[in-house]
Structures are given as C-alpha cells and as structure tokens.
C-alpha cells in the first residue's frame, strides 16, 4: 500500500508530522492569495491549504479538477478555524494519480436513473452510499456468524439448471452447448439436495434471477439472496426461531459498528429487535385488515403491499414490534413443496416475515415425503418428469427440513429507510437496465 | 429442533440416560437373536442393539432399509465390546421419518459420473465428502476474516451483463426481455467499478460462468470465484502480499478446525504456508524448465499444466515451499487491462499463483489511466464501443488498483488432494452436465 498513507479520519494523531493523504478532489476554492482543496477519502474530508507564492505546487493545484484521484503529501497542522476537524494539510507534494474529466456527468440534483448510469460516481461522492456497503458487510457477517455458531455449512449451489425449476415462467433461458439451460430463481431445490446430502444446516448468500417484468421499488431481475435450510426440525417454528435470532444478532452487530454513523449521516436509528418476533396467522391478518376497514377485492388469500403495510402498522401499535411473521398461508398461493399440517390441508406450514411493512423473507417447512410431494405437485398441475432429479432427493431418506429465503437488498432498504431497492444494490438489474 | 436430540459424537456424555438420535441407517445386521442397526449422523456412527423378543420394535427394525431417515430414542449403554466408541443405544422407540427405496442407486464401487448423478447420496454416505464442505466453510470464513480485518467490503456484483465482456468468446448468452444478456465470466469489470466508486478493498465470493468446452479435471462451466480488488496500491506486490497473508490465515484456520479429522479421514496433512511465498518471473520459470530438460513446442510464452507442475516441484525442492507466484507474464497472453511496467512494455504487472503445480489464482495491477487503457484495448484489436460503460469508470479519477481472482474449488482440490474439481464442488457443471 502507498507508503506513509494516513486516512483522513486518523490525521489528528499526526499533527506536526508529514504524511500522505490519498483521495479525491471533493471541492476546489482557488482564491487570489490561497488555494483551498478539500480532499475526500472514504473516512472523511480534509482541507488542504496552500498560500500562493509561485512554484510547481501552485500550478499543480490550479490544474486540479473535481474527482481527480490525488496523493498529497504535507504537514498536518492544528487549525482551530477550519471547520473540517480543526486541522489542515499544508502540502509539500501533489501527485495526480488519475485526472477526472470535466464536467462531471452527475451532480447533487441528478435523478435516480441517471445516477445509476454513473453509479461509481454516485456511490463515491455520497458518504451515505459508502456507508451502506459497510453496513451490508457487517450485516452479512453477522448472519454468517450466527449461522456458523449453530453449525451451518456454507454451500455454493449451481445457478445453471438443466430444466426450468418451479414453473417455467419467470425463468431466464440461455444457450448451453447446443441445448438450453436456465438460471436458478432461488437455491431452493439445491439446498434441499444438500439437506438430503447430510448437511444439517445449509447457508448460502448468492445471486438469484427472476425474469419478471416488474418495475416496482422492491423488485429486481437479479438480487442477492440469503438462504438457510435446516434439517431434523420439529416444525416450521424451528425455522422462524432461527431466522429471528440470526437477524437480531446481525442487526445488533450493525448497531454496534455503524449505529453512530447511521444516525449522523443518514438520520437512521437502528433498533435491535427483541425475540421472539410476533407471529400471526394469515386468517388473523385478514381479520385485522377487515377490522381496520381494508378489504380489497381480489386479495382474499394473500396480502397485497398495502395490506402488508397495514399489518405492520397494526403490529407496531399493538405489540411495539417492527417485525411480524405471517403464518399459515393458503395452499393456493404457496408452491407444491410447502408442507401442509395434518389437521388442515388447506393451509401450509409456511411464513413470510414483514419488516416495517415490507416482505423480506419467505419460508416454510418442506414436504420431505416422496409420495406426498408427487401428489401435491400433481394437484398443482405440474409434471413430475422435468423435476425427476429434484424428486429423487426424497426417495432415499431425506430428513424433515425447512428453510427460508431472504432478500438482502430488501433488508438493507428497510434498515436504512431507502426508497428503492436500486439504492440498496451496487449495480441494479431490472427489465430495462443491464448497465453499467 | 427435535427434542432431546443428541449427536452421535456426544453420546458418551449421556451414558445411562435416554436420548434421541437422528440419522440414517448405515448398515443392518438382522441376526436370529439380536438386531444390530448402525445409525449414522453427520458426527459419526453408533450401534443400536436390540434383543429379539417380539413386539413392535422388532417388527420396525426388521422393516428398515439402508439410508432411511430414522429417529431412535433409547438408553445409552457402556459396551466395551462394541467397536464404535465402546457404547451402544438400546432402543425404546423407533420412528422412520422417511424410508429409503431399495436398492440404492450407488455403492462403494460406483464411478464418478454416476456418483454425480446421485450426488446427495454420494456426499451423505462419505464422511470425507461431508468434511470437505466443513473445510470449505472454514476456509471461506478464514479468508473473509482476514479481508475484513484489512478493511475490505463485501460486494455483490451483477452476473447479468448487457454486453459480452472481455472477448465475446466463452460467454453464455441469454434472452432478456427481447434482447440479449450475458453471464459474467468474472466480477473483474464490476469490482473495478467498485474501486472507482470509492470502495477501498473489494471482496466477493460468488459464481462465475465460462462457456468453455473443457473436459479436464480442473475446469467447470460454473464455479465459485473468490475475488479481491485493492485500491491505492503502490504496485502488484501489494496484491500478492494480501493474497499470501489471506491464504496463510485461512489455511491456519482449516488446520486448527479440521487438521485432525483430515489426517484421520482423508490421510491429508495441512501445512500452513510461511509468508512471503516465493516469487519467480515467467522468464526465470522458462529458464528453470529448460534446465530441467522441458522445452515443449508452442509453449514459449505461457506455462502448460506440465510446466506448472515442474515449476512447483522445482520450488518445493529448492525452496521448500508448496506455493509460488509466477510474475511478469508477457503482454500477448494477458488481457488488455493488465498494467505494463514503464521500463518493459513487453510484460505485464501480473501473476499467477501455483499451489502444488496447479494454478489457483490470476492477479494483476490494473491499468487505471483511461488513455492507456484505450490504447491497450486497441492493440488487442478490441472495440471500445461495447466496453464504454466499463471504460467510463476510468475517466473520472479511478485510483491505482489491482486484484486477484481465485478458484475456490481448485484451492480445495489441492488442499484435500482430490483428483477432480468435480469432487470439490457440490453440484458440478460442465459442458455435458447440467444435472442434478
């Protein structure tokens, strides 16, 4: 790494010494007697103050452009009058490592779509966006930390499939050495195969692909999924218990590591959730909605986004909790592999997790009995033939199991109060967006 | 989780008590006076011993089939004569959670391709395969641990690209809402964009896709890549230093957590490598090969697999090290974005890392200067137009940087002495294999 480099946030420890700062030209104020350059690295901003008097340094500073990558060596001086940390850097040498063209293609007023075209500049220039990726890192590691302490194994399941998995709709198809392959919509089938392979707890973070022409603030054609699958469970309750503990642990890590920065830079307060999270059945959810005067046509079985928001608001008011598990989804709106309780075959042993009104997870106990799976698939009008490799995993002693799939971007979106999944993703992919 | 379940490896702590064991029927010995069932969970094997005398239990045990998933509740008894841990389980209740069909489709003699068809059974029945995934988990977490301690950020870059990236060859193409998209061959371009976005150290573990019709023991069409990219470097040496420390840390974690099990179950000894690893230039490598009598036609610039093995053998003998960095690859066999040293434009500031004769990593300092990148792309006969989104990232102050891409399966393959990448992957994907 560049010799004697000091991050901006550490400069106070170097008052009186000569150090090197590496970063970008944030702003330039080139006055008649003094040149001010505000330099930004990913830890903060520092003022470089140079009194004019001729010489190379003066010429170099006059030639700087915003966002150029610079390496400035200088003496760190205490300077109470400087707003940025009460110090300044008095330059001795300036090196432009990479000049930026002028003008910049985006500024503070640029709208989201054009910002996404220049996402690298958008992220580089906004400390809140930088912070989001630091939060993502901590959040993921927090989840892994919990999962591995519980004995989970990290699996990498294939994204290339030989047959379109669940339905055939909403699946991307590609050419594969003279035949077709498909992109996995989720690691569902493969993580169940891992369960049948004797992996007791499966953990995977990876891309999932949905060929849905959705243009909402919460859909993407490619997003990062957090997947868990647990063997030898007693019931779906085990899966919900795992998830709430994993989230509480990970959110606590985020609060520890970034709570103060999030408050300052984003005005966001992280609340570590208390476990257990509230649980209500879908039937109870509908009762709550009707009592609240919400009973939209055509949403008799599922919850629409407005219904989800209303349920979360109700739970927040009645129970003081940001999270709520909705359980017992009807068979009609759940896939064939969700298990059904023996005493009520009209519902499934499944759940969604809502956080502040947004669905962030779907989970279930899976049907592990081959004959029952075949019957449930047939009921949904599905042919077992293209799924034979999947179904085979249940013919030789696959244990009881259940799991969940979480959208990482959605979790970040809710946690940081972002308006769109586009802001919670480095490079968003949607029906109209495959670049940059 | 199933109440009062005890893992087999913990049974000794429960002598005299009644516990529940969950696992698979490993073997059955149904004698005239006694029924023996060996049950396997992912921690070991235990003998269930039942004296015949009529009753439900006897009927249930007689009906068991190999690999059925069972839950057996019984008393743990000290039994010095039993080879498996000197204890046995005297059953009180047996529940078949999922019966296995007979016969099993694979056995100990089954060849690799047919084993892959039934990979879940293959992995479930071989403790060494189970161990491999535990090692994978530890290895990855070890690498993350090192990277995050160095300030790295976890990024998830898109696998869907709007244009075929580096060359157009060896890229999978898919239909995307009426146009074409392509699967990323590596996160290369996107992790460089993250560097330009101000992320100082980028870390990603994710799938990469190669449409190569290769059938070797070390190629796959989809594999898990470990990618690192570092900003503000002084040179490629910084990248190599990061990699060797990351690997040494992660391998030490594996040795700690699984060293004894790997010795016992796989006959594998994990050597934690000393840093720094040896470094030799490609020119030196060719000298070494020629001195050793190896000078194959047509491999004047690169190393072929036999050359790589010979170099590793030489380094092992001369320097006592399993790893070696080969540096200064010629321009002709490296991509246009590899930086070239000012004093010798015929080579690149790049490296491969060999481990015991197998290439496990390619890395380089990247060219970050827009004009130079354009020139180098043109020299390689590439059109800048389809790469404009990539090239844009260098027009506005992208800092100096470099990075590496590592094949996770290859690292596991060498570490565990596996014959093929197929054994180091949960569900292998090759030109002829898209299932299960």
């Amino acid at each position: 790494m560049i010799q004697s480099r000091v991050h901006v946030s550490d400069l106070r420890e170097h008052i009186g010494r000569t150090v090197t700062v590496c970063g970008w030209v944030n702003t330039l104020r080139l006055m008649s007697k003094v040149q001010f350059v505000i330099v930004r690295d990913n830890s903060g901003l520092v003022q470089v103050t140079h009194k004019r008097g001729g010489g190379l340094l003066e010429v170099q500073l006059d030639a700087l452009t915003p966002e150029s990558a610079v390496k400035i060596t200088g003496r760190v001086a205490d300077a109470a009058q400087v707003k940025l940390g009460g110090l300044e850097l008095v330059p001795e040498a300036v090196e432009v490592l990479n000049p930026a063209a002028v003008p910049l293609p985006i500024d503070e007023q640029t709208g989201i779509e054009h910002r996404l075209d220049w996402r690298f500049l958008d992220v580089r220039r906004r400390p809140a966006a930088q912070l989001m990726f630091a939060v993502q890192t901590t959040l993921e590691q927090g989840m892994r930390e919990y999962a591995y302490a519980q004995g989970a194994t990290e699996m990498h399941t294939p994204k290339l499939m030989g047959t379109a998995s669940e339905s055939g709709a909403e699946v991307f198809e590609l050419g594969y050495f003279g035949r077709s392959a498909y992109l996995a919509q989720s690691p569902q089938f493969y993580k169940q195969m891992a369960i049948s392979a004797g992996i007791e707890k499966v953990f995977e973070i990876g891309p999932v692909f949905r060929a849905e022409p959705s243009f909402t603030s919460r859909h993407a054609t490619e997003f990062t999924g957090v997947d868990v699958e647990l063997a030898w469970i007693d019931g779906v309750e085990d899966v919900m218990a795992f998830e709430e503990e994993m989230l509480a642990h990970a959110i606590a890590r985020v609060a520890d590591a970034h709570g103060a920065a999030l408050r300052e830079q984003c005005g966001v307060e992280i609340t570590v959730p208390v476990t257990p999270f509230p649980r209500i059945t879908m039937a109870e959810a509908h009762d709550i909605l009707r009592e609240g005067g919400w009973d939209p046509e055509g949403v008799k079985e599922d919850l629409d986004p407005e219904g989800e928001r209303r349920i979360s608001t109700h739970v927040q008011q009645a129970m003081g909790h940001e999270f709520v598990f909705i359980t017992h989804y009807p068979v009609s709106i759940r896939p064939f592999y969700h298990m059904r309780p023996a005493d009520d075959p009209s519902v499934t042993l499944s759940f969604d997790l809502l956080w502040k009104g947004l669905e962030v997870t779907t989970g279930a106990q899976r049907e592990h009995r081959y004959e029952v799976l075949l019957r449930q698939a047939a009921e949904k009008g599905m042919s077992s033939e293209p799924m034979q490799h999947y179904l085979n995993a249940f013919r030789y002693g696959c244990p009881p199991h259940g799991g969940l799939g979480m959208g990482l971007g959605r979790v970040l979106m809710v946690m940081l109060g972002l308006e769109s999944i586009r802001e919670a993703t480095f490079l968003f992919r949607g029906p109209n967006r495959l670049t940059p």
Side-chain angles (χ1 to χ4, degrees), chain A residues 122-168:
Chain A
D122 177 47
V123 170
R124 191 203 296 169
R125 288 156 51 91
R126 288 192 298 121
Q130 297 273 334
L131 183 55
M132 202 212 52
F133 295 106
V135 168
Q136 173 175 287
T137 304
T138 304
L139 181 72
E140 289 183 45
Q141 275 300 81
M143 292 194 284
R144 286 195 187 94
E145 211 171 59
Y146 178 80
Y148 299 153
Q150 302 298 311
T153 301
E154 180 145 2
M155 301 297 287
H156 300 286
T157 62
K159 308 310 160 201
L160 295 173
M161 312 182 84
T163 49
S165 59
E166 305 188 16
S167 63

Side-chain angles (χ1 to χ4, degrees), chain A residues 148-316:
Chain A
Y148 299 153
Q150 302 298 311
T153 301
E154 180 145 2
M155 301 297 287
H156 300 286
T157 62
K159 308 310 160 201
L160 295 173
M161 312 182 84
T163 49
S165 59
E166 305 188 16
S167 63
E170 305 179 349
V171 180
F172 290 113
E173 180 174 357
L174 59 135
Y176 193 85
F177 303 101
R179 52 184 168 142
S180 285
Y182 305 87
L183 292 182
Q185 292 172 290
S186 89
Q188 184 60 37
F189 287 6
Y190 297 130
K191 66 183 180 170
Q192 291 188 263
M193 248 177 233
I195 291 292
S196 196
I199 308 294
E200 288 211 349
K201 295 184 172 76
V202 176
F203 186 85
E204 176 167 13
I205 298 184
V208 295
F209 304 92
R210 305 277 165 93
E212 282 180 77
S214 292
F215 296 88
T216 76
S217 63
R218 60 193 191 283
H219 287 92
T221 53
E222 175 181 354
F223 62 89
T224 302
V226 179
D227 268 90
V228 171
E229 201 73 26
L230 309 172
W232 305 108
I233 59 173
D234 261 339
V236 66
E237 173 59 31
D238 288 340
V239 182
M240 292 188 280
F242 189 100
E243 177 167 30
E244 65 198 0
E245 293 299 336
M246 182 173 78
L247 274 172
H249 178 85
I251 294 170
R253 287 285 192 222
V254 170
D256 283 353
H258 311 291
L262 285 168
R263 198 175 302 127
E264 264 173 54
Q265 289 179 30
C266 314
V268 166
E269 196 64 45
I270 302 293
T271 307
V272 180
V274 173
T275 60
F277 298 172
R279 287 141 167 76
I280 61 176
T281 66
M282 180 58 101
E284 288 165 347
H286 278 132
D287 287 347
I288 291 166
L289 290 179
R290 270 190 299 273
E291 282 163 25
W294 177 255
D295 196 10
E297 289 279 326
V299 195
K300 297 300 177 197
E301 301 205 289
D302 205 351
L303 292 176
D304 64 350
E306 176 61 18
E308 291 177 345
R309 282 190 289 271
R310 284 177 172 243
I311 289 294
S312 278
T313 302
H314 172 88
V315 169
Q316 177 71 59

Side-chain angles (χ1 to χ4, degrees), chain A residues 92-105:
Chain A
E92 293 164 12
V94 170
E95 191 179 342
V96 178
L97 297 173
N98 208 357
V102 281
L104 295 175

